[in-house]
């Protein structure tokens, strides 16, 4: 997995990137170009904006992104400094800071929340059904990271179907009514509690809990 420079694959000659001229020089030329891109202000703002969008909200506060960019620039691109600025930011802990779970997040949190998973469940549950096949995004840009993409009606219907599979394969061994306060801390609404109480069976209650609004969102 180590990097290897292949001179025969590299087109010789000078290069111009973002208005800056780079003299021919093989590997050194490429490294100089990458260094320039890594230190470019647009790179800092792009990556910091993506971090804030992923961990805080689909539309992160501009002031938060500005502070992350400042941490990037002050540390010459040290991501640990950016992470520290992010986790200590008040916006990250605000009541309205929440994200709609991607299929990956939702499936992993579902399985972890209910405990052990059996072989039949592993075979039945696949991210392909949820529109996010593992390690196979549709483009180099990766998966969308906003609620509008994952909260569409057809996507929600697929989650309901998978939640039903999880509940069916779990049988009646899980009491969703007692588990809900631990899986939905601070997100268990009276409406969700009432729906779980009215469920006709433990497995139905479990399926309802896994698609409750408080569990679909990462707060």
């Amino acid at each position: 997995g180590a990097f290897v420079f292949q001179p025969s694959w590299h087109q010789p000659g000078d290069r111009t990137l973002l208005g800056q001229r780079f003299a021919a020089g093989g590997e050194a030329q490429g490294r100089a170009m990458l260094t320039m891109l890594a230190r470019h202000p647009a790179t800092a703002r792009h990556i910091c904006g993506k971090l804030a969008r992923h961990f805080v909200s689909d539309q992160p506060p501009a002031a938060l992104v500005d502070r992350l960019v400042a941490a990037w620039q002050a540390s010459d691109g040290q991501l640990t400094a950016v992470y520290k600025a992010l986790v200590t930011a008040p916006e990250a802990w605000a009541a309205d800071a929440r994200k709609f779970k991607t299929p990956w997040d939702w499936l992993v949190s579902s399985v972890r929340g209910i405990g052990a998973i059996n072989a039949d469940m592993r075979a039945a549950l696949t991210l392909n059904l949820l529109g996010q096949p593992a390690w196979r995004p549709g483009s180099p840009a990766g998966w969308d990271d906003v609620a509008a993409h994952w909260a569409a009606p057809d996507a929600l219907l697929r989650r309901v179907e998978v939640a039903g599979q999880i509940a069916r394969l779990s049988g009646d061994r899980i009491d969703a009514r007692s588990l809900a306060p631990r899986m939905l801390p601070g997100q268990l609404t009276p409406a969700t509690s009432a729906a779980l109480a009215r469920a006709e069976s433990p497995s139905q209650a479990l399926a309802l809990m896994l698609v409750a609004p408080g569990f679909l969102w990462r707060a």
Side-chain angles (χ1 to χ4, degrees):
F3 169 78
V4 176
F5 179 73
Q6 299 284 4
S8 61
W9 297 357
H10 185 72
Q11 184 175 352
D14 296 349
R15 295 285 180 275
T16 300
L17 178 62
L18 295 178
Q20 185 172 336
R21 190 75 171 173
F22 294 87
E27 181 178 348
Q29 181 191 55
R31 289 185 178 276
M33 295 170 75
L34 291 173
T35 298
M36 184 273 288
L37 288 174
R39 290 176 170 160
H40 196 281
T43 301
R45 185 157 295 277
H46 177 70
I47 295 179
C48 291
K50 287 175 70 69
L51 287 170
R53 184 170 68 246
H54 180 77
F55 287 103
V56 178
S57 68
D58 289 356
Q59 299 293 332
L64 171 62
V65 177
D66 289 343
R67 291 202 303 278
L68 299 184
V69 170
W72 175 294
Q73 294 172 337
S75 65
D76 196 24
Q78 292 294 323
L79 288 177
T80 51
V82 179
Y83 299 155
K84 182 177 180 180
L86 178 61
V87 299
T88 58
E91 295 92 338
W93 306 99
D96 59 349
R98 63 177 196 158
K99 290 284 295 184
F100 193 82
K101 293 179 181 178
T102 65
W104 173 276
D105 288 338
W106 178 78
L107 189 59
V108 170
S109 59
S110 297
V111 172
R112 289 181 63 187
I114 66 175
I117 181 171
N118 57 45
D120 290 339
M121 193 178 294
R122 283 197 296 270
L125 300 181
T126 170
L127 285 163
N128 294 353
L129 296 174
L130 297 170
Q132 192 182 21
W135 320 124
R136 289 189 288 121
S139 76
W143 300 106
D144 280 339
D145 194 25
V146 295
H149 183 82
W150 299 115
D154 60 328
L156 290 175
L157 179 59
R158 287 195 293 269
R159 292 201 192 191
V160 170
E161 294 171 349
V162 173
Q165 291 186 46
I166 294 174
R168 177 176 56 80
L169 292 169
S170 298
D172 288 337
R173 66 181 182 84
I174 297 175
D175 182 3
R177 298 176 184 87
S178 62
L179 184 61
R182 299 198 300 274
M183 288 189 64
L184 287 73
Q187 306 296 318
L188 183 57
T189 64
T192 297
S193 296
L196 298 181
R198 290 194 302 267
E200 297 179 356
S201 66
S203 61
Q204 186 184 71
L206 177 59
L208 289 171
M209 182 186 69
L210 294 179
V211 293
F215 192 70
L216 291 174
W217 289 83
R218 169 165 54 85

